Amino acid sequence: MTLYTAAIALSGVGILVTGALALAFLRDPVAGLEQTTHRSEKLPEVMADRYIAFTILALGATLYGDLNVIAVLFATFAFMGFADAWIYARGNFPIAKHLGAGIAALIVVAVALLAMQQEA
């Protein structure tokens, strides 16, 4: 096994673990918090870490300059914005900022896809 294939395999393991955690939270958010040892009172601090991580990912994708990577990353950001908007809408909370973030990310996806098509 080369280091390349090892890196791909380990990335695959990361997909499985992260997917399993996502399913745990989907099934029972409280149990998901317990399983991951997250604390709801620490959520504001955790969100700060997440936004820093999202910024680093966007910076890396932008500097790398691969439109495929940019499209997938911002499609993921769009999903998060729309999913959060849906969660808040169900609770009758304001959704404009999350909806706006989803739309903004979707615009990046559309431009990246159009640019890929134009270059082909």
Side-chain angles (χ1 to χ4, degrees):
M1 176 182 283
T2 67
L3 288 177
Y4 176 87
T5 56
I8 298 298
L10 289 170
S11 183
V13 171
I15 292 167
L16 294 174
V17 171
T18 305
L21 291 173
L23 286 175
F25 276 97
L26 284 170
R27 278 193 226 120
D28 184 346
V30 174
L33 283 172
E34 285 181 27
Q35 181 180 347
T36 59
T37 67
H38 281 291
R39 309 282 306 175
S40 59
E41 67 271 13
K42 292 294 185 182
L43 185 59
E45 293 172 71
V46 169
M47 290 304 297
D49 294 345
R50 295 301 182 265
Y51 280 112
I52 291 168
F54 298 156
T55 301
I56 293 167
L57 286 169
L59 177 64
T62 301
L63 292 175
Y64 188 64
D66 186 304
L67 294 175
N68 290 296
V69 173
I70 290 169
V72 170
L73 176 64
F74 279 85
T76 304
F77 288 168
F79 168 80
M80 288 189 298
F82 294 137
D84 286 355
W86 177 251
I87 290 166
Y88 285 113
R90 290 187 322 216
N92 292 317
F93 296 108
I95 64 167
K97 290 182 181 180
H98 290 97
L99 194 59
I103 292 168
L106 209 52
I107 290 169
V108 176
V109 173
V111 172
L113 293 174
L114 288 170
M116 284 188 283
Q117 190 175 30
Q118 187 179 34
E119 288 183 5

